[in-house]
């Protein structure tokens, strides 16, 4: 139980998928202009991550990993090289489902997210979490917690950024740094402050 | 004096020969006289205090830690070198150590300020008078001067000027500078060798700070005794006569500064008391979790944490920075509370850093616009989705 809690804390703070690994930057920078949209996209990412990570875990451990096809009578087959393709396919399918759900229940959010909703499919944070999950040899329950925690961490970062950009409207940066440039600098400073949590375990 | 300025003004304004250096002229002039042009950029204030007076009061409040810091730096150096450690020898030794650091911080920082002011045509801000003094006070006395220069450059340029100058930054520039050199040159910023400045370092002096003095193997419920036996009693920690950063050791001096800031109404009492409440609450919570076999820091009396390390300095001078703190009342309480709680979280649970107040404030700087936004939304009586 404590292990799970540690995995959750680590994926939200010290190992924040955005601020420690800089994955998922494109939608982070592009959608953080408006706080409502940022919250919406944050929930979408939490949702997609907490579904795709365990689903990918099942697929990897029962179909792809070396010896995973033991149950079907092919213990020597190793389909690990299909990992990337299959993970992306699963993610794309999940995003389609999320898109339809959002379109059905919140057309306003659907319009606000625009092209970035389908783009979650190619959001490197989503794929990155699945690949980290394989690399760190998590168990099934751990992968659920890790996926959910990474989503929460990403959402926290984008919501904080969206609020910070309300203040940045009054900033007067040098010409070359207006807009995205300043956002990147703020992201870097945020990452520095997030080092607060590095090393904390309970 | 006034005639001199009036005579020189045409050269610096409009199409004068030296119009390029206009902001520099204006800065020098308003250093001597209250300018008769209203402030054009934030932080605006609602009463007769303008930014210049505002910063002067903060500077006055910084005097006690500054003077005591100079004395203490010299005092520790004299004690370590086994020379006379009276008031005047201590003060002059401390001056020799601290003055170059402060001078470099001011000099390099002002050079950047003036460069940006001249190129970008905005006036030089008085805010830097405070940043340039806060930063060296948080440094260990043995810091190499070139690191001071790099740190303050980062703080002024990345922490402030890229946002457009004072009043527009998201992160406290002094803390940005300190965090930068903390991560870039950890060997010069932490450990137990950096806190006492002695000239002949042939035999290195280990002057551990109180926070670094306890090891994780200390037996349960023993930290207070361990600190006392090492000479760190509560009163000594309160007065601040122990090795540490240049200006951050004395809780008493910070208390004096806090009194000045609170009486003049410049710093927010909500942030300060929120921070103290956060520290005490989380300290009590950690006390409840303490037990044999647990981390020894869990069992420390929370009141000790108030006077240990840089917390007092941070919560009085850094957390109350009106630019980077939230502007609404409830958000200030929450902001302060979390600074206190996170400071203690790092001190107790994070083996990587002995001190947490710097990163706790920077971390809450990230969230201060969000706190503000949430409170405003609540004030607008609108339901918000769970953030």
């Amino acid at each position: 139980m404590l292990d799970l809690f540690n995995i959750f804390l680590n994926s939200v703070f010290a190992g924040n998928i955005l601020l420690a690994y800089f994955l998922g930057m494109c939608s982070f920078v592009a959608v953080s202009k408006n706080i409502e949209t940022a919250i919406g996209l944050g929930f979408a990412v939490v949702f997609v991550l907490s579904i795709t990570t365990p689903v990918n875990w099942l697929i990897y451990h029962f179909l792809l990993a070396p010896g995973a096809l033991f149950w079907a009578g092919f213990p020597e087959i190793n389909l690990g090289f299909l990992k990337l393709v299959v993970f992306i396919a699963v993610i794309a399918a999940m995003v389609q489902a999320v898109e339809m759900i959002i379109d059905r229940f919140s057309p306003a959010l659907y319009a606000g997210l625009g092209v970035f909703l389908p783009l979650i499919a190619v959001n490197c944070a989503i794929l990155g979490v699945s690949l980290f999950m394989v690399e760190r040899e998590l168990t099934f329950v751990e992968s659920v917690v890790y996926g959910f925690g990474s989503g929460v961490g990403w959402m926290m970062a984008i919501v904080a950024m969206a609020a910070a950009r309300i203040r940045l409207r009054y900033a007067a940066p040098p010409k070359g740094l207006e807009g995205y440039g300043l956002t990147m600098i703020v992201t870097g400073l945020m990452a520095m402050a997030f080092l607060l949590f590095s090393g904390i375990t309970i | 004096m006034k005639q001199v300025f009036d005579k020189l003004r045409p050269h610096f304004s409009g199409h004068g020969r030296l119009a390029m250096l206009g902001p520099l002229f204006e800065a020098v002039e308003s250093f001597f006289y209250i300018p008769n042009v209203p402030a054009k950029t934030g932080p605006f204030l609602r009463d007769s205090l303008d930014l210049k007076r505002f910063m002067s009061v903060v500077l006055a409040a910084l005097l006690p830690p500054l003077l005591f810091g100079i004395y203490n730096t010299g005092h520790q150096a004299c004690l370590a070198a086994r020379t006379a450690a009276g008031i005047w020898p201590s003060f002059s030794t401390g001056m020799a150590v601290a003055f170059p650091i402060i001078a470099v911080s001011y000099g390099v920082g002002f050079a950047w300020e003036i460069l940006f002011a001249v190129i970008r045509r905005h006036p030089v801000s008085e805010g830097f008078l405070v940043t340039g003094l806060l930063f060296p006070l948080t440094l260990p006395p043995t810091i190499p001067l070139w690191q001071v220069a790099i740190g303050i450059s980062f703080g002024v340029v990345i922490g402030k000027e890229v946002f457009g100058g004072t009043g527009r930054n998201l992160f406290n520039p002094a803390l940005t500078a300190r965090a930068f050199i903390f991560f870039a040159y950890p060997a010069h910023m932490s450990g137990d060798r950096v806190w006492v400045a002695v000239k002949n370092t042939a035999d290195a002096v280990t002057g551990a700070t109180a926070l670094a003095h306890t090891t994780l193997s200390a037996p349960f419920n023993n930290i207070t005794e361990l600190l006392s036996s090492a000479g760190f009693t509560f009163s000594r920690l309160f007065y601040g006569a122990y090795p540490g950063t240049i200006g951050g050791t004395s809780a008493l001096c910070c208390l004096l500064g806090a009194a000045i800031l609170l009486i003049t109404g410049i710093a927010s009492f909500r942030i300060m008391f929120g921070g103290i409440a956060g520290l005490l609450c989380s300290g009590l919570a950690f006390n409840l979790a303490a037990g044999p076999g647990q981390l020894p820091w869990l069992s420390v009396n929370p009141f000790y944490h108030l006077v240990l390390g840089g917390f007092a300095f941070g919560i009085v001078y850094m957390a109350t920075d009106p630019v980077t703190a939230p502007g609404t009342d409830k958000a200030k309480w929450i902001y302060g509370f979390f600074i206190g709680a996170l400071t203690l979280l790092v001190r107790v649970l994070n083996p990587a850093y002995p001190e947490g107040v710097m990163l706790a404030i920077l971390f809450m700087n990230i969230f201060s616009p969000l706190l503000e936004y949430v409170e405003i939304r609540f004030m607008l009586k609108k339901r918000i989705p769970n953030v």
Side-chain angles (χ1 to χ4, degrees):
Chain A
M1 195 61 212
L2 210 57
D3 280 352
L4 291 182
F5 191 62
N6 266 331
I7 287 179
F8 179 76
L9 277 190
N10 184 56
S11 57
V12 175
F13 294 109
N16 190 301
I17 195 77
L18 187 96
L19 292 171
Y21 296 101
F22 289 97
L23 293 176
M25 282 291 290
C26 30
S27 37
F28 171 76
V29 171
V31 184
S32 57
K33 281 175 194 146
N34 177 321
I35 204 159
E36 308 287 321
T37 331
I39 293 172
L41 187 67
F43 273 118
V45 167
V46 172
F47 187 72
V48 171
L49 267 177
S50 20
I51 292 178
T52 56
T53 320
V55 168
N56 280 336
W57 188 92
L58 290 174
I59 288 178
Y60 183 76
H61 283 270
F62 288 105
L63 292 177
L64 302 178
L69 283 171
F70 185 79
W71 56 272
F74 306 105
E76 71 283 1
I77 287 182
N78 175 6
L79 292 177
F81 64 93
L82 287 175
K83 192 168 64 178
L84 274 175
V85 179
V86 174
F87 283 2
I88 289 182
V90 170
I91 291 167
M94 286 304 150
V95 170
Q96 278 302 311
V98 173
E99 200 179 341
M100 285 188 270
I101 293 171
I102 293 183
D103 191 17
R104 168 70 183 77
F105 290 105
S106 170
L109 179 60
Y110 183 76
L113 291 176
V115 72
F116 289 101
L117 191 55
L119 278 183
I120 291 184
V122 287
N123 186 331
C124 36
I126 315 277
L127 183 62
V129 167
S130 285
L131 293 176
F132 279 145
M133 172 266 293
V134 172
E135 203 171 90
R136 295 179 188 175
E137 296 169 344
L138 301 179
T139 65
F140 179 73
V141 182
E142 284 171 351
S143 77
V144 176
V145 174
Y146 180 60
F148 177 70
S150 299
V152 171
W154 196 89
M155 178 172 171
M156 195 167 83
I158 195 175
V159 172
M161 189 66 196
R165 283 178 83 164
I166 297 176
R167 271 203 197 173
L168 289 186
R169 280 184 211 149
Y170 303 101
K175 266 263 156 46
L177 284 176
E178 275 161 8
Y180 294 147
L182 198 59
T183 311
M184 294 295 239
I185 289 179
V186 173
T187 313
L189 291 173
M190 277 168 83
M192 189 162 80
F194 261 70
L195 285 174
L196 171 76
F197 293 97
S198 67
I200 291 187
T201 49
I202 294 176
Chain B
M1 194 80 189
K2 188 118 180 92
Q3 287 170 352
V4 176
F5 280 116
D6 287 340
K7 208 169 149 191
L8 285 175
R9 184 171 292 112
H11 294 300
F12 287 99
S13 57
H15 297 288
R17 270 180 302 142
L18 296 170
M20 218 179 81
L21 295 175
L24 179 61
F25 171 78
E26 198 189 13
V28 176
E29 187 192 11
S30 60
F31 192 77
F32 291 103
Y33 295 106
I34 299 173
N36 55 3
V37 281
K40 293 194 190 72
T41 53
F44 296 111
L45 292 155
R46 275 168 297 229
D47 54 22
S48 57
L49 273 169
D50 68 349
L51 184 62
K52 185 182 170 191
R53 296 295 144 232
F54 183 93
M55 292 303 177
S56 314
V57 175
V58 181
L59 282 181
L62 269 171
L63 275 182
L66 173 68
L67 293 177
F68 180 81
I70 291 172
Y71 162 75
N72 186 42
T73 305
H75 187 63
Q76 301 303 329
C78 287
L79 284 182
R82 295 194 186 75
T83 53
I87 288 208
W88 288 115
S90 293
F91 205 80
S92 57
T93 322
M95 211 51 198
V97 174
F99 183 74
I101 297 179
I102 296 172
V104 166
S105 166
Y106 267 140
V108 175
F110 262 121
W112 282 111
E113 282 270 330
I114 288 169
L115 187 72
F116 270 87
V118 166
I119 291 177
R120 305 207 57 217
R121 318 292 307 160
H122 70 65
V124 175
S125 163
E126 298 84 354
F128 181 71
L129 284 173
V130 173
T131 306
L133 187 57
L134 275 177
F135 173 60
L137 288 183
T138 61
L139 295 175
T142 55
I143 185 108
L145 292 180
W146 58 271
Q147 286 181 9
V148 179
I150 288 180
I152 196 72
S153 302
F154 187 85
V156 168
V157 176
I158 301 293
K160 196 169 78 177
E161 286 300 334
V162 298
F163 293 94
T166 303
R168 292 168 164 148
N169 46 322
L170 282 179
F171 297 88
N172 187 319
L175 282 178
T176 311
R178 190 184 194 274
F180 179 72
I181 49 174
F182 180 80
F183 289 118
Y185 311 105
H188 294 97
M189 288 293 285
S190 45
D192 52 5
R193 294 277 169 91
V194 301
W195 305 107
V196 180
V198 185
K199 286 268 165 56
N200 48 351
T201 44
D203 49 345
V205 177
T206 51
T209 58
L211 275 171
H213 204 282
T214 46
T215 53
L216 290 175
S217 58
F220 165 63
N221 225 352
N222 224 359
I223 285 227
T224 324
E225 287 95 270
L226 199 75
L227 282 172
S228 298
S229 66
F232 294 112
T233 57
F234 188 84
S235 62
R236 184 169 171 224
L237 290 169
F238 179 68
Y239 294 124
Y242 61 94
T245 57
I246 294 177
T249 57
S250 172
L252 176 66
C253 292
C254 295
L255 210 58
L256 286 178
I260 297 176
L261 291 176
L262 289 179
I263 290 169
T264 50
I266 278 182
S268 161
F269 71 90
R270 293 183 179 87
I271 295 175
M272 281 192 214
F273 291 130
I276 292 167
L279 193 82
L280 293 180
C281 289
S282 54
L284 287 173
F286 282 134
N287 281 176
L288 292 180
Q294 303 280 4
L295 292 171
W297 273 105
L298 283 173
S299 61
V300 175
N301 183 342
F303 287 95
Y304 257 78
H305 281 293
L306 282 178
V307 294
L308 271 172
F311 176 74
F313 192 79
I315 198 76
V316 171
Y317 297 105
M318 304 285 205
T320 55
D321 171 9
V323 179
T324 55
T328 50
D329 288 350
K330 284 197 196 72
K332 281 180 182 166
W333 280 108
I334 300 171
Y335 174 81
F337 187 89
F338 273 100
I339 288 175
L342 287 172
T343 304
L344 209 59
L345 186 79
V346 173
R347 281 186 186 175
V348 175
L349 294 180
N350 194 339
Y353 318 126
E355 175 61 289
V357 69
M358 166 183 80
L359 286 171
I361 295 174
L362 279 178
F363 186 79
M364 288 315 290
N365 280 346
I366 297 179
F367 289 99
S368 85
L370 186 63
L371 291 172
E372 220 172 69
Y373 175 84
V374 171
E375 189 182 348
I376 289 171
R377 290 306 296 267
F378 268 114
M379 284 202 257
L380 290 172
K381 299 272 184 212
K382 280 181 185 160
R383 196 191 142 272
I384 63 157
N386 296 325
V387 179

